[in-house]
Amino acid sequence: MTLGLRLFLVVALLCGVSYAATCPPPGFDSVPDLDIDRYISAPWYIQKQIPVIYQREDQLFCVQAQYKRLNDDTVQVFNYANEGKVNGPSQTTDGQGSGIFGGRLLGKIENLDDPSKLSVGFAGPVGDTPLFAGPYWIVALDDDYQWAIITGGPPTAESNDACGYSNEGVNGNGFWLFSRKPIDPEATAIMEEKAKELGLDTSVLLPVEQKGCKYEGAGIPE
């Protein structure tokens, strides 16, 4: 191989070849020192997310999440969305067998010293340990708790030279951008930049339509 060809290949490698990401990114973790009561004090409105097996692309309308503290290490999880269009048929985790997950959901804080990591799953017939639970990590959070980035644990799939999640299974997937406001483009832009810094592939995020939403039936049932 001539010197000129070697130089050409080096330049080509530097300019034209992308390098595979290491997944999960080194040091990827949830946020420290989360105040769980402050986090669950008001509804969250999803700005962007990836579709998952239990929430298809045609259900990304008026998506909202609310939480209620049940005891020291358990919260009730109430997810709401519309199917097909804004204010279309509601999909909820109301415990009545309807909706996104088809049942009542619980979130369990596995370590009270690290409340930004929860396991979320179906409420069982006895006790407060969720069944078939998967990870729910709060990986970035505004100082005033006005926006948050949520993932289904650490990303393990290479995705466009970054890290992402497979949509083939129920647990260990999911990537959401939360805001306290139904429509919040400013916070969304901040979250997308932060997610890139964390090594996450933001190109796979889809927008959630929140304009005109009435959120009828949203809220944790008493």
Side-chain angles (χ1 to χ4, degrees):
M1 183 182 293
T2 67
L3 178 60
L5 181 57
R6 289 196 187 100
L7 290 173
F8 174 81
L9 291 175
V10 169
V11 171
L13 285 169
L14 291 175
C15 296
V17 176
S18 58
Y19 296 90
T22 299
C23 301
F28 188 91
D29 204 352
S30 61
V31 299
D33 304 320
L34 176 78
D35 183 338
I36 189 68
D37 291 310
R38 191 177 180 188
Y39 178 79
I40 68 174
S41 63
W44 289 104
Y45 299 89
I46 290 67
Q47 306 299 299
K48 288 188 174 184
Q49 68 172 85
I50 60 172
V52 284
I53 196 170
Y54 48 81
Q55 191 175 23
R56 306 182 308 270
E57 185 174 349
D58 65 348
Q59 295 173 318
L60 301 185
F61 297 91
C62 309
V63 185
Q64 186 196 78
Q66 294 191 46
Y67 307 91
K68 179 181 178 181
R69 189 77 169 262
L70 299 180
N71 53 47
D72 286 347
D73 62 359
T74 309
V75 298
Q76 184 175 347
V77 179
F78 186 88
N79 294 328
Y80 174 92
N82 293 152
E83 185 171 0
K85 61 180 181 179
V86 167
N87 303 323
S90 62
Q91 305 290 305
T92 68
T93 55
D94 58 6
Q96 304 301 315
S98 66
I100 300 169
F101 296 89
R104 184 168 173 261
L105 294 178
L106 296 178
K108 189 82 168 181
I109 301 170
E110 300 297 339
N111 180 354
L112 290 176
D113 293 328
D114 191 8
S116 57
K117 292 185 178 74
L118 297 92
S119 295
V120 174
F122 292 106
V126 179
D128 57 8
T129 298
L131 306 177
F132 310 108
Y136 172 112
W137 284 20
I138 304 160
V139 299
L141 183 66
D142 174 53
D143 290 341
D144 293 324
Y145 286 62
Q146 295 304 299
W147 58 256
I149 301 174
I150 314 302
T151 69
T156 57
E158 292 183 10
S159 178
N160 298 321
D161 301 324
C163 293
Y165 298 86
S166 167
N167 61 1
E168 296 179 354
V170 174
N171 293 329
N173 297 316
F175 176 18
W176 300 266
L177 306 184
F178 282 16
S179 173
R180 296 294 192 191
K181 300 176 183 178
I183 301 173
D184 197 347
E186 181 178 350
T188 299
I190 293 171
M191 286 187 281
E192 288 182 308
E193 287 305 310
K194 181 62 178 177
K196 291 176 183 177
E197 292 174 9
L198 295 174
L200 295 169
D201 178 15
T202 61
S203 69
V204 297
L205 291 167
L206 298 182
V208 175
E209 183 60 69
Q210 300 283 4
K211 186 177 181 180
C213 295
K214 296 179 179 178
Y215 310 105
E216 294 179 349
I220 297 177
E222 297 296 331

